[in-house]
């Protein structure tokens, strides 16, 4: 009931300011973000990075096996769509979570649906991040995405075992080393397809560590669902 009422309340599109109903983009901005130009480079089937012409996958995935099977990204972390992520993570505008969830759901419909009964799990935030923001952006997005995709959402299944340094500005190698062994799984994923939800994917180190923990706990396969992929 609350969700239906939310979409009837008038507000402004967060990108262009046009009047819309509910926490969403206007039809034009949503179409622009999700549009894939005919000459756009394809994405790596594993990590969703834009590929060079003729490459079957990116160099990172070719050189280092990934624990996750594929990645669905709604858009590249570039203007103007990157502003939506900053509104959620920096300005703490929780109304952006359902907006990003809707974009991810549209990307899933475009790039290949998830198996029936797939389990959604948000990437758990670190303690410092929770204290700083008062919320976990990935969890907020996952809540809206569960409703959009009509899939179960579980909290407390993917656990963070220790704190890690802030990833911003760190090299790929440093990110990878810092993410090793960060996550554990509390169970409940045996034989299931798990979709891990996050806001932004940069090198994939965090996602890989999360997927490794889930596979070790018996998950059949892990897909990543992210709002934005860093070019």
């Amino acid at each position: 009931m609350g969700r239906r009422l939310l979409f009837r309340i008038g507000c402004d599109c967060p990108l262009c300011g046009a009047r819309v109903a509910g926490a969403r983009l206007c039809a034009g901005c949503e179409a622009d973000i999700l549009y894939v130009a005919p000459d756009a480079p394809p994405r790596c089937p594993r990590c969703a990075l834009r590929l060079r012409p003729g490459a079957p996958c990116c160099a990172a995935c070719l050189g280092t096996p990934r624990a996750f099977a594929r990645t669905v990204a709604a858009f590249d972390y570039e203007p103007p769509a990157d502003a939506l992520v900053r509104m959620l993570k920096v300005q703490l505008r929780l109304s952006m979570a359902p907006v990003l969830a809707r974009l991810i759901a549209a990307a899933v419909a475009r790039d290949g649906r998830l198996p029936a009964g797939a389990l959604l799990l948000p990437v758990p935030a670190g303690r410092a991040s929770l204290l700083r923001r008062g919320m976990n952006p990935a969890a907020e997005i996952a809540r809206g995405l569960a409703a959009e995709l009509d899939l179960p959402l579980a909290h407390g299944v993917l656990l963070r075992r220790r704190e890690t340094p802030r990833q911003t500005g760190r090299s790929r190698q440093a990110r990878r080393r810092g993410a090793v062994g960060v996550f554990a799984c509390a169970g409940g994923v045996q034989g299931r397809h798990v979709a891990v939800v996050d806001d932004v994917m940069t090198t994939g180190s965090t996602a890989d560590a999360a997927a490794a923990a889930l596979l070790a706990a018996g998950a059949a396969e892990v897909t990543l669902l992210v709002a934005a992929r860093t070019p």
Side-chain angles (χ1 to χ4, degrees), residues 30-104:
E30 182 170 315
D32 286 345
I33 289 174
L34 294 171
Y35 174 70
V36 179
D39 59 347
R43 293 188 183 274
C44 173
R46 186 61 63 91
C47 75
L49 188 69
R50 295 289 183 186
L51 297 174
R52 294 179 178 179
C57 65
C58 74
C61 289
L62 186 63
T64 305
R66 304 278 198 174
F68 49 88
R70 72 173 180 131
T71 300
V72 176
F75 52 85
D76 288 321
Y77 193 66
E78 296 177 329
D82 59 342
L84 300 174
V85 177
R86 290 198 301 274
M87 288 177 197
L88 175 62
K89 297 181 68 173
V90 180
Q91 300 176 21
L92 306 182
R93 292 175 56 179
L94 291 178
S95 61
M96 292 302 101
V99 171
L100 294 170
R102 181 180 172 89
L103 291 171
I104 296 174

Side-chain angles (χ1 to χ4, degrees), residues 107-222:
V108 169
R110 177 192 67 203
D111 298 340
R113 296 187 179 276
L114 299 171
L119 179 65
L120 298 183
L121 301 178
V123 172
R127 184 177 303 172
S129 175
L130 286 174
L131 288 174
R132 185 171 64 255
R133 295 193 177 103
M135 58 90 178
N136 177 5
E140 297 298 327
I141 295 171
R143 185 177 294 112
L145 190 57
E148 291 283 351
L149 299 178
D150 193 23
L151 290 175
L153 169 65
H155 296 278
V157 172
L158 185 60
L159 307 173
R160 186 177 285 269
R161 300 174 61 185
R162 58 180 171 82
E163 294 297 295
T164 56
R166 293 190 68 176
Q167 299 285 58
T168 304
R170 304 187 80 204
S171 68
R172 178 182 296 272
Q173 291 76 14
R175 286 171 179 258
R176 182 171 294 132
R177 288 194 301 268
V180 173
V182 167
F183 300 106
C185 179
V189 300
Q190 185 75 32
R192 300 194 69 170
H193 188 112
V194 179
V196 175
V197 181
D198 207 355
D199 45 27
V200 180
M201 179 177 177
T202 304
T203 65
S205 299
T206 298
D208 198 52
L214 294 168
L215 292 179
E221 192 171 75
V222 178

